[in-house]
Amino acid sequence: TLFRSGSFGSSSIGAQRKEIMYKISGPGVDQPPFGIFIINSYTGEINVTKIVDREETPIFFLTGQALNRRGENVEPPMNLRIKVIDINDNYPVFERSEYVGRDRQSTR
């Protein structure tokens, strides 16, 4: 488990210093499909480790947490919604080599 020292919150006396660990959970992390997202426990930066198919999973709902050394939340858990943006990776499939149609529009 990785921790970092840094400011978190403030009070009238001044900034309180705590050691914080960032953590995520949910589908794509610790639930199927496993291991798609990882988090840098020091910075909270989330990265994608695998190709994600929008047709298969268009949105991932994760939970993010900031924890102290004892594993207690230092603020309420945060709901994270990761929306997968699609690229056109599926070419059109035609069952026949030729199609015939008519355009009933006037050509005048």
Side-chain angles (χ1 to χ4, degrees):
T1 304
L2 301 174
F3 291 90
R4 76 169 174 90
S5 294
S7 296
F8 190 87
S10 62
S11 67
S12 58
I13 298 171
Q16 298 175 348
R17 307 217 19 111
K18 296 185 179 183
E19 293 180 324
I20 306 298
M21 180 186 79
Y22 297 97
K23 179 182 175 182
I24 55 173
S25 59
V29 181
D30 56 359
Q31 298 172 23
F34 294 99
I36 293 174
F37 303 103
I38 59 171
I39 189 166
N40 181 317
S41 295
Y42 286 121
T43 65
E45 179 180 282
I46 298 172
N47 289 292
V48 179
T49 63
K50 300 177 183 178
I51 294 174
V52 181
D53 188 354
R54 184 185 161 285
E55 285 83 14
E56 191 175 308
T57 311
I59 298 176
F60 289 88
F61 294 98
L62 307 179
T63 300
Q65 294 175 279
L67 306 169
N68 64 20
R69 185 176 289 276
R70 293 182 304 274
E72 302 165 332
N73 286 311
V74 294
E75 60 183 44
M78 176 183 285
N79 293 322
L80 305 170
R81 182 179 74 160
I82 299 174
K83 184 176 180 182
V84 179
I85 298 173
D86 194 23
I87 59 170
N88 191 5
D89 58 345
N90 296 318
Y91 295 102
V93 177
F94 297 100
E95 294 177 9
R96 296 182 287 179
S97 61
E98 186 176 316
Y99 291 84
V100 178
R102 289 184 184 225
D103 184 2
R104 295 184 184 200
Q105 194 175 26
S106 175
T107 56
R108 290 185 204 191

